[in-house]
Amino acid sequence: MSRRPLILVLILVLAFGLSATAGAATTIHYWHYLSGDYAEIHEAMVEEFNALHPDIQVELLYTGNQFVTRDKLIAAVAAGQPPHVCLVDQFWPPLMVATGALVPLKNFVDTDSYFADFNQISLDTVTVEGEIWTMPFSLSNQILFYNKDKFREVGLDPEKPPATWEELLEYAKLLTRDLDGDGRIDEWGVNFTTRANMGAVYTFITFLWQAGGRIYNEDFSAAAFNDEAAVETVQFWRDLAHRHKVLNLSPPQEGFETGRIAMQIASTSSIEATKRKVNFDLGIAPLPSYREKVTGVGGSSLAIFKTTPQEEAAAWTFVQWMSSPENNLKWSTLTGYTPLRKSVLASPEYQSYLAENPAVQVVIEQFQYARARPNEVSYADVSRILGVAVEEAVFGNLDPKPILDNAVAEANTYIEMSK
């Protein structure tokens, strides 16, 4: 072979190699904890992103429920091998910020101008010490689902759901029934999560706030959930279960959906899924209140972890796309989560969705009373301790005061360590 053909071959090989390298996609590992209908909608969004961005390919990994995912994420960060992006629960950002593993979003955009379209409560959930660290993705609050058919059966006005704790108890007594006369309850008046490992503290904190109580003291230097308001709140739950027997601590699976529970406190994120499951006249109402009118906020955000500049840039492209107005509108209407963006809430498409689903307007109106959980590093441990204490008092039918006192003492050790 002459030198000239050999040179041409080498040039072609080199050119092909450079072309292949230049065209290689950046792979982003993305962890999440969504399941069921949410996971299907979410997976379709990621597949759409991959189709639209051949230079960035997102590998989606379900890492278990929120509790399992949090443990895996902490272990991965400690080992120096976090995913590029992870869906994180509302109260994780302070803990992740403390590890030094997160990339602040100011590295990608001017946060003041970029986040001007996001509602303030969504930004409250992702702001740590005045800085935005993760991208809001989903936002919910707590509402009351109720079975209008059951209301009619016991003589209650189906258009007048309970507005106070007193009415919640009054209605629940009427709706708790032994239908076959065998001395055992067949239908219960009210239900909400009471198990600590199922997230009962999320609901409890809302009740606590409604009673005028607090998780921490004013400067967050100590726990404060053993005061009179906290004891009263636990006692109310205890009375619902044991004194009045309107709350089943071991409720039937999908008891509300099957008509065995008349009222259910749940997240707004389950609106669309619940509508698909029930075959009765579904009511959606604001949470019954007590001294204060409050609803708790839930939801998730997207965290970007430190890797390489190229991978971080690709992760930002993905995170930005997932939270775009178009995708926030899609996610909100398909799931029942509340729009994060002011432009989405005001859009003709979302207003049309509200017109077709007037009960969802309750969710929007109630957001003026929404309160985010504290963005404190110690919150994850403090809330876990509180949840276990509440479960102990309610399930054991025990005096809540000494249990809460012990829980506060334990919580204070974690608060001290987090300083």
Side-chain angles (χ1 to χ4, degrees), residues 175-219:
L175 292 159
T176 298
R177 300 185 288 175
D178 170 15
L179 297 177
D180 55 13
D182 67 352
R184 294 181 296 182
I185 296 172
D186 302 301
E187 295 181 356
W188 287 266
V190 66
N191 185 58
F192 45 81
T193 303
T194 52
R195 288 284 185 184
N197 64 351
M198 298 299 290
V201 71
Y202 173 44
T203 306
F204 179 79
I205 287 171
T206 299
F207 274 80
L208 176 65
W209 285 335
Q210 290 183 342
R214 296 180 298 180
I215 307 168
Y216 294 84
N217 61 7
E218 289 188 4
D219 64 0

Short mmCIF file of all heavy atoms in Angstrom, two decimals, residues 175-219:
data_model
loop_
_atom_site.label_atom_id
_atom_site.label_comp_id
_atom_site.label_asym_id
_atom_site.label_seq_id
_atom_site.Cartn_x
_atom_site.Cartn_y
_atom_site.Cartn_z
N LEU A 175 -71.33 8.88 61.26
CA LEU A 175 -70.91 8.08 60.11
C LEU A 175 -70.25 6.76 60.50
O LEU A 175 -69.98 5.92 59.64
CB LEU A 175 -69.94 8.89 59.24
CG LEU A 175 -70.58 10.09 58.52
CD1 LEU A 175 -69.51 11.10 58.12
CD2 LEU A 175 -71.36 9.62 57.30
N THR A 176 -70.00 6.56 61.80
CA THR A 176 -69.43 5.30 62.27
C THR A 176 -70.58 4.38 62.64
O THR A 176 -71.38 4.68 63.54
CB THR A 176 -68.52 5.55 63.49
OG1 THR A 176 -67.43 6.40 63.10
CG2 THR A 176 -67.96 4.24 64.03
N ARG A 177 -70.67 3.24 61.94
CA ARG A 177 -71.90 2.44 62.06
C ARG A 177 -71.64 0.93 62.11
O ARG A 177 -70.73 0.43 61.45
CB ARG A 177 -72.83 2.74 60.88
CG ARG A 177 -73.26 4.20 60.79
CD ARG A 177 -74.28 4.42 59.70
NE ARG A 177 -73.69 4.34 58.37
CZ ARG A 177 -74.39 4.41 57.24
NH1 ARG A 177 -75.72 4.54 57.29
NH2 ARG A 177 -73.79 4.34 56.06
N ASP A 178 -72.46 0.26 62.88
CA ASP A 178 -72.57 -1.19 62.87
C ASP A 178 -73.78 -1.52 62.01
O ASP A 178 -74.93 -1.41 62.47
CB ASP A 178 -72.72 -1.72 64.30
CG ASP A 178 -73.08 -3.20 64.35
OD1 ASP A 178 -72.94 -3.88 63.32
OD2 ASP A 178 -73.51 -3.66 65.43
N LEU A 179 -73.57 -1.90 60.77
CA LEU A 179 -74.67 -2.05 59.82
C LEU A 179 -75.45 -3.34 59.99
O LEU A 179 -76.64 -3.39 59.67
CB LEU A 179 -74.13 -1.94 58.39
CG LEU A 179 -73.49 -0.60 58.01
CD1 LEU A 179 -72.93 -0.66 56.60
CD2 LEU A 179 -74.51 0.53 58.13
N ASP A 180 -74.80 -4.39 60.47
CA ASP A 180 -75.49 -5.69 60.54
C ASP A 180 -75.89 -6.07 61.96
O ASP A 180 -76.39 -7.18 62.19
CB ASP A 180 -74.63 -6.79 59.92
CG ASP A 180 -73.24 -6.88 60.54
OD1 ASP A 180 -73.03 -6.27 61.61
OD2 ASP A 180 -72.36 -7.55 59.95
N GLY A 181 -75.65 -5.18 62.92
CA GLY A 181 -76.11 -5.42 64.29
C GLY A 181 -75.37 -6.50 65.03
O GLY A 181 -75.89 -7.03 66.02
N ASP A 182 -74.14 -6.81 64.62
CA ASP A 182 -73.39 -7.87 65.31
C ASP A 182 -72.49 -7.33 66.40
O ASP A 182 -71.69 -8.07 66.99
CB ASP A 182 -72.57 -8.69 64.30
CG ASP A 182 -71.45 -7.88 63.65
OD1 ASP A 182 -71.40 -6.65 63.87
OD2 ASP A 182 -70.64 -8.47 62.91
N GLY A 183 -72.60 -6.03 66.68
CA GLY A 183 -71.80 -5.44 67.75
C GLY A 183 -70.43 -4.98 67.32
O GLY A 183 -69.64 -4.51 68.15
N ARG A 184 -70.11 -5.12 66.04
CA ARG A 184 -68.82 -4.68 65.53
C ARG A 184 -69.02 -3.59 64.49
O ARG A 184 -69.94 -3.64 63.68
CB ARG A 184 -68.04 -5.85 64.92
CG ARG A 184 -67.64 -6.90 65.94
CD ARG A 184 -66.84 -8.02 65.31
NE ARG A 184 -67.66 -8.77 64.35
CZ ARG A 184 -67.20 -9.83 63.67
NH1 ARG A 184 -65.97 -10.25 63.85
NH2 ARG A 184 -68.00 -10.46 62.82
N ILE A 185 -68.12 -2.63 64.49
CA ILE A 185 -68.22 -1.51 63.56
C ILE A 185 -67.87 -1.97 62.14
O ILE A 185 -66.88 -2.68 61.93
CB ILE A 185 -67.28 -0.36 63.98
CG1 ILE A 185 -67.71 0.20 65.35
CG2 ILE A 185 -67.24 0.75 62.94
CD1 ILE A 185 -66.74 1.19 65.93
N ASP A 186 -68.71 -1.58 61.19
CA ASP A 186 -68.48 -1.93 59.79
C ASP A 186 -67.97 -0.74 58.98
O ASP A 186 -67.25 -0.92 57.99
CB ASP A 186 -69.79 -2.42 59.15
CG ASP A 186 -70.36 -3.63 59.87
OD1 ASP A 186 -69.65 -4.65 59.94
OD2 ASP A 186 -71.48 -3.53 60.39
N GLU A 187 -68.37 0.46 59.38
CA GLU A 187 -67.96 1.67 58.68
C GLU A 187 -67.50 2.72 59.69
O GLU A 187 -68.14 2.89 60.73
CB GLU A 187 -69.11 2.25 57.84
CG GLU A 187 -69.54 1.34 56.70
CD GLU A 187 -70.67 1.95 55.87
OE1 GLU A 187 -71.17 3.04 56.24
OE2 GLU A 187 -71.06 1.32 54.87
N TRP A 188 -66.38 3.37 59.38
CA TRP A 188 -65.80 4.35 60.29
C TRP A 188 -65.98 5.76 59.74
O TRP A 188 -66.01 5.99 58.53
CB TRP A 188 -64.33 4.06 60.51
CG TRP A 188 -64.10 2.85 61.36
CD1 TRP A 188 -63.91 2.79 62.71
CD2 TRP A 188 -64.08 1.49 60.91
NE1 TRP A 188 -63.77 1.49 63.14
CE2 TRP A 188 -63.87 0.66 62.05
CE3 TRP A 188 -64.23 0.88 59.66
CZ2 TRP A 188 -63.79 -0.72 61.98
CZ3 TRP A 188 -64.15 -0.50 59.58
CH2 TRP A 188 -63.94 -1.28 60.74
N GLY A 189 -66.04 6.71 60.66
CA GLY A 189 -66.32 8.08 60.28
C GLY A 189 -65.16 8.80 59.64
O GLY A 189 -65.35 9.57 58.69
N VAL A 190 -63.94 8.57 60.13
CA VAL A 190 -62.81 9.36 59.65
C VAL A 190 -61.54 8.51 59.64
O VAL A 190 -61.41 7.55 60.41
CB VAL A 190 -62.60 10.61 60.53
CG1 VAL A 190 -62.17 10.24 61.95
CG2 VAL A 190 -61.60 11.58 59.91
N ASN A 191 -60.62 8.89 58.77
CA ASN A 191 -59.34 8.18 58.71
C ASN A 191 -58.24 9.15 58.29
O ASN A 191 -58.47 10.09 57.53
CB ASN A 191 -59.40 7.02 57.72
CG ASN A 191 -58.12 6.20 57.74
OD1 ASN A 191 -57.73 5.67 58.78
ND2 ASN A 191 -57.46 6.11 56.61
N PHE A 192 -57.05 8.90 58.83
CA PHE A 192 -55.83 9.56 58.37
C PHE A 192 -54.67 8.69 58.84
O PHE A 192 -54.85 7.78 59.66
CB PHE A 192 -55.70 10.99 58.91
CG PHE A 192 -56.03 11.15 60.37
CD1 PHE A 192 -55.09 10.84 61.36
CD2 PHE A 192 -57.27 11.62 60.77
CE1 PHE A 192 -55.39 10.97 62.70
CE2 PHE A 192 -57.59 11.76 62.11
CZ PHE A 192 -56.63 11.44 63.08
N THR A 193 -53.51 8.93 58.31
CA THR A 193 -52.36 8.09 58.63
C THR A 193 -51.95 8.27 60.09
O THR A 193 -51.73 9.39 60.54
CB THR A 193 -51.17 8.44 57.73
OG1 THR A 193 -51.56 8.30 56.37
CG2 THR A 193 -49.99 7.52 58.00
N THR A 194 -51.85 7.16 60.82
CA THR A 194 -51.47 7.21 62.23
C THR A 194 -50.17 6.47 62.51
O THR A 194 -49.65 6.56 63.63
CB THR A 194 -52.59 6.61 63.10
OG1 THR A 194 -52.95 5.32 62.59
CG2 THR A 194 -53.83 7.51 63.08
N ARG A 195 -49.66 5.74 61.54
CA ARG A 195 -48.41 5.00 61.71
C ARG A 195 -47.22 5.90 61.43
O ARG A 195 -47.16 6.56 60.40
CB ARG A 195 -48.38 3.80 60.77
CG ARG A 195 -49.32 2.67 61.15
CD ARG A 195 -48.77 1.88 62.33
NE ARG A 195 -49.60 0.72 62.64
CZ ARG A 195 -49.38 -0.09 63.68
NH1 ARG A 195 -48.35 0.14 64.48
NH2 ARG A 195 -50.16 -1.11 63.92
N ALA A 196 -46.25 5.87 62.34
CA ALA A 196 -45.07 6.72 62.18
C ALA A 196 -44.32 6.40 60.90
O ALA A 196 -43.87 7.32 60.19
CB ALA A 196 -44.15 6.56 63.39
N ASN A 197 -44.17 5.10 60.60
CA ASN A 197 -43.40 4.73 59.41
C ASN A 197 -44.16 4.94 58.11
O ASN A 197 -43.62 4.68 57.02
CB ASN A 197 -42.91 3.29 59.50
CG ASN A 197 -44.05 2.28 59.52
OD1 ASN A 197 -45.22 2.65 59.61
ND2 ASN A 197 -43.72 1.01 59.42
N MET A 198 -45.39 5.42 58.20
CA MET A 198 -46.18 5.75 57.01
C MET A 198 -46.36 7.25 56.85
O MET A 198 -47.14 7.70 56.03
CB MET A 198 -47.54 5.05 57.08
CG MET A 198 -47.47 3.53 57.11
SD MET A 198 -46.70 2.83 55.63
CE MET A 198 -47.97 3.18 54.41
N GLY A 199 -45.65 8.02 57.67
CA GLY A 199 -45.69 9.47 57.52
C GLY A 199 -46.76 10.16 58.34
O GLY A 199 -47.19 11.27 57.99
N ALA A 200 -47.17 9.57 59.46
CA ALA A 200 -48.23 10.18 60.28
C ALA A 200 -47.86 11.57 60.79
O ALA A 200 -48.73 12.41 61.00
CB ALA A 200 -48.55 9.26 61.46
N VAL A 201 -46.56 11.82 60.96
CA VAL A 201 -46.15 13.10 61.52
C VAL A 201 -46.54 14.26 60.61
O VAL A 201 -46.79 15.38 61.07
CB VAL A 201 -44.62 13.11 61.80
CG1 VAL A 201 -43.81 13.14 60.50
CG2 VAL A 201 -44.25 14.27 62.71
N TYR A 202 -46.61 14.02 59.30
CA TYR A 202 -47.00 15.06 58.35
C TYR A 202 -48.40 15.58 58.68
O TYR A 202 -48.64 16.79 58.74
CB TYR A 202 -46.92 14.49 56.94
CG TYR A 202 -47.43 15.37 55.83
CD1 TYR A 202 -47.12 16.73 55.78
CD2 TYR A 202 -48.21 14.83 54.81
CE1 TYR A 202 -47.58 17.53 54.74
CE2 TYR A 202 -48.67 15.63 53.76
CZ TYR A 202 -48.35 16.96 53.74
OH TYR A 202 -48.81 17.76 52.71
N THR A 203 -49.33 14.65 58.94
CA THR A 203 -50.69 15.04 59.31
C THR A 203 -50.73 15.62 60.72
O THR A 203 -51.41 16.61 60.99
CB THR A 203 -51.64 13.83 59.23
OG1 THR A 203 -51.55 13.25 57.93
CG2 THR A 203 -53.08 14.24 59.48
N PHE A 204 -49.97 14.98 61.63
CA PHE A 204 -50.00 15.45 63.02
C PHE A 204 -49.52 16.90 63.14
O PHE A 204 -50.11 17.68 63.90
CB PHE A 204 -49.15 14.55 63.91
CG PHE A 204 -49.14 15.01 65.34
CD1 PHE A 204 -50.20 14.73 66.18
CD2 PHE A 204 -48.08 15.77 65.84
CE1 PHE A 204 -50.23 15.20 67.48
CE2 PHE A 204 -48.10 16.24 67.14
CZ PHE A 204 -49.18 15.94 67.97
N ILE A 205 -48.47 17.25 62.42
CA ILE A 205 -47.94 18.61 62.52
C ILE A 205 -48.99 19.63 62.10
O ILE A 205 -49.11 20.71 62.69
CB ILE A 205 -46.66 18.74 61.69
CG1 ILE A 205 -45.51 18.01 62.39
CG2 ILE A 205 -46.29 20.20 61.46
CD1 ILE A 205 -44.26 17.89 61.56
N THR A 206 -49.79 19.29 61.09
CA THR A 206 -50.86 20.21 60.68
C THR A 206 -51.88 20.39 61.81
O THR A 206 -52.30 21.51 62.11
CB THR A 206 -51.55 19.68 59.42
OG1 THR A 206 -50.59 19.61 58.36
CG2 THR A 206 -52.69 20.60 58.98
N PHE A 207 -52.28 19.28 62.43
CA PHE A 207 -53.19 19.38 63.59
C PHE A 207 -52.54 20.21 64.70
O PHE A 207 -53.21 21.02 65.36
CB PHE A 207 -53.51 17.98 64.12
CG PHE A 207 -54.67 17.29 63.44
CD1 PHE A 207 -54.50 16.65 62.21
CD2 PHE A 207 -55.91 17.27 64.02
CE1 PHE A 207 -55.56 16.01 61.59
CE2 PHE A 207 -56.99 16.63 63.41
CZ PHE A 207 -56.81 16.00 62.18
N LEU A 208 -51.25 20.00 64.92
CA LEU A 208 -50.52 20.73 65.96
C LEU A 208 -50.55 22.23 65.68
O LEU A 208 -50.82 23.04 66.57
CB LEU A 208 -49.08 20.22 66.03
CG LEU A 208 -48.14 20.93 67.01
CD1 LEU A 208 -48.59 20.73 68.44
CD2 LEU A 208 -46.71 20.42 66.82
N TRP A 209 -50.26 22.60 64.45
CA TRP A 209 -50.30 24.02 64.07
C TRP A 209 -51.71 24.59 64.24
O TRP A 209 -51.89 25.72 64.67
CB TRP A 209 -49.84 24.18 62.63
CG TRP A 209 -48.35 24.06 62.43
CD1 TRP A 209 -47.38 24.29 63.36
CD2 TRP A 209 -47.69 23.69 61.23
NE1 TRP A 209 -46.14 24.09 62.80
CE2 TRP A 209 -46.29 23.72 61.50
CE3 TRP A 209 -48.12 23.34 59.95
CZ2 TRP A 209 -45.34 23.41 60.53
CZ3 TRP A 209 -47.17 23.03 58.99
CH2 TRP A 209 -45.80 23.07 59.27
N GLN A 210 -52.72 23.80 63.88
CA GLN A 210 -54.10 24.27 64.03
C GLN A 210 -54.45 24.54 65.50
O GLN A 210 -55.25 25.43 65.80
CB GLN A 210 -55.07 23.25 63.45
CG GLN A 210 -55.03 23.14 61.94
CD GLN A 210 -56.06 22.16 61.42
OE1 GLN A 210 -56.59 21.33 62.15
NE2 GLN A 210 -56.35 22.25 60.13
N ALA A 211 -53.84 23.78 66.39
CA ALA A 211 -54.08 23.97 67.83
C ALA A 211 -53.25 25.11 68.40
O ALA A 211 -53.38 25.44 69.59
CB ALA A 211 -53.78 22.67 68.58
N GLY A 212 -52.38 25.70 67.57
CA GLY A 212 -51.53 26.79 68.04
C GLY A 212 -50.19 26.33 68.56
O GLY A 212 -49.44 27.12 69.16
N GLY A 213 -49.85 25.06 68.33
CA GLY A 213 -48.58 24.52 68.80
C GLY A 213 -47.45 24.72 67.80
O GLY A 213 -47.66 25.17 66.67
N ARG A 214 -46.25 24.32 68.23
CA ARG A 214 -45.06 24.46 67.39
C ARG A 214 -44.16 23.23 67.52
O ARG A 214 -44.22 22.52 68.53
CB ARG A 214 -44.26 25.70 67.81
CG ARG A 214 -44.99 27.02 67.59
CD ARG A 214 -44.13 28.19 68.03
NE ARG A 214 -43.82 28.12 69.46
CZ ARG A 214 -43.08 29.02 70.11
NH1 ARG A 214 -42.57 30.04 69.46
NH2 ARG A 214 -42.86 28.90 71.40
N ILE A 215 -43.33 23.03 66.52
CA ILE A 215 -42.36 21.94 66.56
C ILE A 215 -41.12 22.38 67.33
O ILE A 215 -40.59 21.66 68.17
CB ILE A 215 -41.96 21.50 65.15
CG1 ILE A 215 -43.20 21.18 64.32
CG2 ILE A 215 -41.04 20.27 65.21
CD1 ILE A 215 -42.94 21.02 62.84
N TYR A 216 -40.64 23.58 67.00
CA TYR A 216 -39.46 24.16 67.64
C TYR A 216 -39.86 25.42 68.41
O TYR A 216 -40.92 25.98 68.18
CB TYR A 216 -38.43 24.58 66.59
CG TYR A 216 -37.79 23.48 65.78
CD1 TYR A 216 -38.42 22.96 64.65
CD2 TYR A 216 -36.53 22.98 66.12
CE1 TYR A 216 -37.81 21.97 63.89
CE2 TYR A 216 -35.91 21.99 65.36
CZ TYR A 216 -36.56 21.49 64.24
OH TYR A 216 -35.96 20.52 63.48
N ASN A 217 -38.93 25.87 69.26
CA ASN A 217 -39.12 27.19 69.85
C ASN A 217 -38.81 28.27 68.81
O ASN A 217 -38.48 27.95 67.66
CB ASN A 217 -38.27 27.35 71.12
CG ASN A 217 -36.77 27.23 70.84
OD1 ASN A 217 -36.33 27.15 69.70
ND2 ASN A 217 -35.99 27.21 71.90
N GLU A 218 -38.88 29.52 69.18
CA GLU A 218 -38.80 30.60 68.20
C GLU A 218 -37.48 30.68 67.46
O GLU A 218 -37.43 31.03 66.29
CB GLU A 218 -39.11 31.95 68.87
CG GLU A 218 -40.58 32.09 69.26
CD GLU A 218 -40.90 33.49 69.74
OE1 GLU A 218 -40.00 34.37 69.69
OE2 GLU A 218 -42.05 33.71 70.16
N ASP A 219 -36.37 30.37 68.13
CA ASP A 219 -35.07 30.45 67.45
C ASP A 219 -34.54 29.08 67.01
O ASP A 219 -33.38 28.94 66.66
CB ASP A 219 -34.03 31.17 68.34
CG ASP A 219 -33.73 30.40 69.63
OD1 ASP A 219 -34.32 29.31 69.84
OD2 ASP A 219 -32.92 30.90 70.43
#
